[in-house]
Amino acid sequence: MTEEYDVEFVERTDREARFLVRGVTPAFANGIRRAMLADVPTMAIDTVRFVENSSVMFDEQLALRLGLVPLTTPPVGEFVEDDTVTLSIDVEGPATAYSGDLVSSDDLVQPADDNVPIIDLKDDQRLEAEADTVLERGKGHAKHQGAVAAGYRHLQRVEVVDDVPEFEDEQSQIVRGVIEDDGELIPTSEFDHDLSNRYPGKEIELEDVPNAFVFHVETDGSFPVEEIVTRAADTIEARATELEEAVQL
Amino acid sequence: MSYKCSRCKRDVQLDEYGGVRCPYCGHRVLLKERSRDVKEVDAQ
């Protein structure tokens, strides 16, 4: 990897972001992507104790559903892997049990969304349960995966080469991702992913910008996008350090 | 073991002599009630 690298945000919200990284190798870009998916520890429900479940679904099915509810993950250092936090739920029908009905014993670990339906309860049905959460990695189970959609594309540079010949029909040229035009970054969604909308009557050449990647990351609400990227980078560093120590003679 | 008669909905205690039959209405279909203990399940 080159010494100098540079990060620039294209779009940025709490749960979803698109950013450009320059000066990294494809191997490093893919390493970051994989680390975001598999190596960032995230809180999720792991064991459920059912006190009462008179709903139409089996305990095991409900436990699986509860396990997949995204939970906010506490800052680094507050918890270590395998620490537990207990959540409880008590809903009586007729009502729908939502993730928002989960009551946590710790403010740092809460359901990330309040509106994930768990089960619809009819008259005289009741769900009462207690659930233990653990901090684990996406490697072990997809419920511990903080990034639900993480990927990257090459940044593409656009160059106007020529005009389209007078009697030739204009062809649409579809491109997805982010393009660079005179140093300006433009998401392709701005021109409906079709270069002929942005450069009508022009002949265009596209080329990948070497070592520049546009990441698109979406989190499940466990933490903000910046957090998951930096934590992913930290896990890579930790593993690299571990390897370095292991091969010392 | 506690069961519930599917016809008269009354709680039934079964013993080894009476066979599978509701002592109140004679119905032979009994439903087993869910046990009251807390059940622990892995969300895996």
Side-chain angles (χ1 to χ4, degrees):
Chain A
M1 204 177 103
T2 48
E3 285 294 306
E4 288 288 314
Y5 74 96
D6 179 48
V7 178
E8 195 178 329
F9 276 89
V10 182
E11 283 162 15
R12 188 178 192 173
T13 58
D14 219 27
R15 289 207 182 179
E16 200 179 344
R18 220 200 275 244
F19 55 92
L20 168 68
V21 186
R22 281 181 205 269
V24 296
T25 61
F28 185 76
N30 192 41
I32 285 279
R33 181 191 69 85
R34 290 187 52 169
M36 281 192 284
L37 295 176
D39 287 307
V40 181
T42 310
M43 276 287 186
I45 288 173
D46 193 48
T47 47
V48 186
R49 287 179 297 279
F50 286 94
V51 180
E52 189 175 341
N53 171 24
S54 43
S55 74
V56 293
M57 274 175 84
F58 292 126
D59 296 355
E60 287 80 358
Q61 293 175 299
L62 286 178
L64 281 173
R65 284 190 177 188
L66 288 167
L68 291 170
V69 171
L71 303 171
T72 57
T73 298
V76 187
E78 290 282 338
F79 283 89
V80 292
E81 263 174 76
D82 299 331
D83 271 0
T84 62
V85 170
T86 306
L87 294 134
S88 61
I89 187 164
D90 186 355
V91 183
E92 221 177 311
T96 304
Y98 287 99
S99 59
D101 297 319
L102 285 162
V103 184
S104 175
S105 62
D106 192 319
D107 278 347
L108 292 171
V109 181
Q110 295 284 355
D113 294 294
D114 285 344
N115 53 1
V116 182
I118 295 164
I119 188 161
D120 191 28
L121 298 166
K122 300 291 180 213
D123 286 317
D124 303 321
Q125 295 182 347
R126 181 151 169 261
L127 174 66
E128 188 184 345
E130 225 174 58
D132 288 340
T133 67
V134 289
L135 191 62
E136 265 203 55
R137 289 155 192 262
K139 260 187 232 186
H141 195 292
K143 66 188 173 183
H144 295 289
Q145 197 173 305
V148 286
Y152 60 84
R153 279 171 196 271
H154 263 111
L155 176 67
Q156 303 203 72
R157 190 184 288 132
V158 177
E159 216 173 312
V160 180
V161 218
D162 208 355
D163 287 345
V164 173
E166 208 178 336
F167 300 109
E168 211 167 281
D169 282 339
E170 201 171 6
Q171 303 253 317
S172 64
Q173 200 173 357
I174 304 297
V175 58
R176 287 181 198 279
V178 174
I179 59 163
E180 186 183 36
D181 183 11
D182 274 337
E184 194 190 348
L185 299 176
I186 304 130
T188 54
S189 52
E190 277 185 20
F191 46 87
D192 207 16
H193 310 286
D194 187 354
L195 284 173
S196 65
N197 287 339
R198 188 174 158 85
Y199 305 93
K202 300 283 184 204
E203 217 161 90
I204 301 296
E205 244 174 42
L206 269 181
E207 58 168 1
D208 289 346
V209 182
N211 296 336
F213 297 94
V214 182
F215 280 82
H216 183 227
V217 182
E218 193 184 329
T219 77
D220 66 351
S222 301
F223 19 53
V225 176
E226 295 92 331
E227 187 83 27
I228 197 162
V229 180
T230 49
R231 286 196 197 191
D234 289 345
T235 65
I236 293 179
E237 194 189 345
R239 273 177 291 154
T241 319
E242 196 185 316
L243 178 67
E244 195 182 11
E245 279 165 9
V247 297
Q248 295 278 317
L249 292 174
Chain B
M1 290 288 177
S2 63
Y3 295 87
K4 193 178 217 172
C5 172
S6 75
R7 187 160 70 186
C8 67
K9 311 283 187 243
R10 270 190 282 198
D11 286 344
V12 175
Q13 292 292 327
L14 278 194
D15 55 34
E16 54 202 285
Y17 311 110
V20 182
R21 166 167 257 176
C22 172
Y24 307 103
C25 67
H27 198 59
R28 285 185 181 274
V29 178
L30 302 177
L31 304 170
K32 194 171 186 318
E33 293 280 87
R34 187 191 158 113
S35 108
R36 286 190 194 281
D37 7 330
V38 175
K39 182 172 161 194
E40 190 170 299
V41 180
D42 276 342
Q44 296 288 338

